[in-house]
Amino acid sequence: MATTRTVQANGIELFLREQGEGPLVLLCHGWPELAYSWRHQMPALAAAGYRVVAPDMRGYGGTEAPEQIDQYSMMHLVGDMAELVKALGETKAVIRGFQDGEYNVTYDSIPFADTNNPTHHSTAFFPSNTIETVVVDRGPGNGPIFNRISQRL
């Protein structure tokens, strides 16, 4: 069963649901969802050997909601996830998004591009028999390389 707590990251308190042990998987919800939306996927991922974390995104549910509109830029949202990974004591994560959470999946690779460990990102839901993953790694000159991999199940 998932536990809940708050974590300080990127200057705000993030509410999250957490379950399992192993490599970190972040689940980013869309609008008008909450971390609770991932309640069916979390036990399956945890049983498969993953540490699954689903935060309420900035301004949603139990996560802090800054009053200033400029605090909701894509860089703030991406920064929240990058800093959450650090706050959880990790250096890499698999990130899955749905609806607005998909933007985090796409842009979260930026803060991790100059680490030594590749970060794997899954885009939002595709047909039920397809998984698409974006693998981000350092390329020549230490710039990020984005590789899309589609896999039929």
Side-chain angles (χ1 to χ4, degrees):
M1 171 155 270
T3 59
T4 62
R5 64 181 171 127
T6 59
V7 174
Q8 179 74 26
N10 204 28
I12 64 170
E13 287 286 323
L14 291 163
F15 173 87
L16 58 87
R17 295 178 178 280
E18 185 172 24
Q19 187 171 354
E21 295 180 14
L24 179 61
V25 175
L26 287 182
L27 302 175
C28 301
H29 66 79
W31 182 88
E33 306 281 337
L34 297 171
Y36 182 75
S37 302
W38 296 103
R39 68 192 176 281
H40 300 295
Q41 292 82 4
M42 290 183 73
L45 289 166
Y50 294 97
R51 178 184 183 190
V52 187
V53 174
D56 281 349
M57 305 303 284
R58 178 179 286 249
Y60 289 83
T63 290
E64 194 171 332
E67 288 187 32
Q68 302 84 0
I69 192 76
D70 65 349
Q71 297 298 299
Y72 293 87
S73 72
M74 184 53 62
M75 291 311 291
H76 284 90
L77 299 174
V78 168
D80 292 349
M81 294 305 100
E83 292 299 316
L84 177 58
V85 170
K86 290 180 193 175
L88 294 171
E90 302 288 346
T91 59
K92 59 183 177 178
V94 173
I95 304 176
R96 175 101 177 156
F98 180 64
Q99 294 174 332
D100 293 352
E102 180 180 355
Y103 297 118
N104 275 293
V105 172
T106 302
Y107 292 102
D108 275 339
S109 55
I110 296 166
F112 294 103
D114 46 344
T115 66
N116 290 321
N117 298 316
T119 303
H120 301 274
H121 300 267
S122 299
T123 60
F125 296 109
F126 282 85
S128 61
N129 61 349
T130 303
I131 295 175
E132 183 158 320
T133 303
V134 178
V135 179
V136 181
D137 204 349
R138 290 169 56 168
N142 292 328
I145 296 176
F146 299 88
N147 296 307
R148 281 200 178 280
I149 302 167
S150 290
Q151 177 181 0
R152 300 289 289 179
L153 299 177

